[in-house]
Amino acid sequence: MNDAHREFCASPEWRTMVEEQILPDALRDVDLGSEVIEIGLGPGLTTDVLRKRTDHLVAVELDPDLAAVLKNRFRGTNVEVIRGDATKIDLADDRFSAGASFHMLHHIGSDDAQDRAFAELARVIHAGGLLVAADGVFSEGSLAFHQHDTYNPIDPESLGHRLEQVGFRSINIARHELGWYCSAIVA
């Protein structure tokens, strides 16, 4: 993530967007269950919301410095921060009741790697468990904002097929002002 992006993702403006626009849409009428995994938590603003909706949240963050800061920030809470890669999650199969990813998937550099992250979530979420996710769609403004950064947005038109290919069903995808959000069940 470039410095401007990192700064914005920790800003009060982004917190407001997360809490008032993104998560209310993505989590409406959703029961996450007692054991949730979140991939790519960034500064942890989505984690702050998710942790109030589950008994235990395992948060997987790739960036070692950010993971260390978050581990410290969430110490003593129901959040367990693990430094790891969403495309090869080092956790047991069928462990979680739900998985979540919010506005980080576009930071995974290739479609194949994104699909590996989806497959890993399908592996660690038990059958009948839920995936909730949201991300932006391509725009010239977002492309410019991601200068010297990875920017590989997912086209919501292809998302359903991609999720189906790795083991999800009952896939619901909707668009909103900031991009798309979805829910899907592990088959």
Side-chain angles (χ1 to χ4, degrees), residues 97-163:
S97 55
S101 175
F102 294 105
H103 284 263
M104 71 69 72
L105 292 164
H106 66 272
H107 287 287
I108 299 176
S110 72
D111 292 359
D112 287 341
Q114 289 171 340
D115 291 343
R116 284 195 307 275
F118 289 137
E120 281 294 277
L121 287 168
R123 181 184 65 77
V124 299
I125 300 168
H126 63 68
L130 178 69
L131 169 68
V132 289
D135 214 323
V137 294
F138 178 84
S139 74
E140 292 294 333
S142 288
L143 178 62
F145 185 67
H146 286 81
Q147 185 177 21
H148 307 295
D149 194 351
T150 300
Y151 183 59
N152 184 32
I154 295 172
D155 179 352
E157 297 300 319
S158 67
L159 180 60
H161 176 72
R162 292 173 67 181
L163 290 172

Side-chain angles (χ1 to χ4, degrees), residues 30 128-132 159-161 163-165 167-174 181-187:
V30 167
L130 178 69
L131 169 68
V132 289
L159 180 60
H161 176 72
L163 290 172
E164 233 171 43
Q165 292 296 111
F168 289 98
R169 62 177 170 76
S170 301
I171 300 164
N172 294 303
I173 302 166
Y181 60 95
C182 77
S183 64
I185 304 295
V186 175

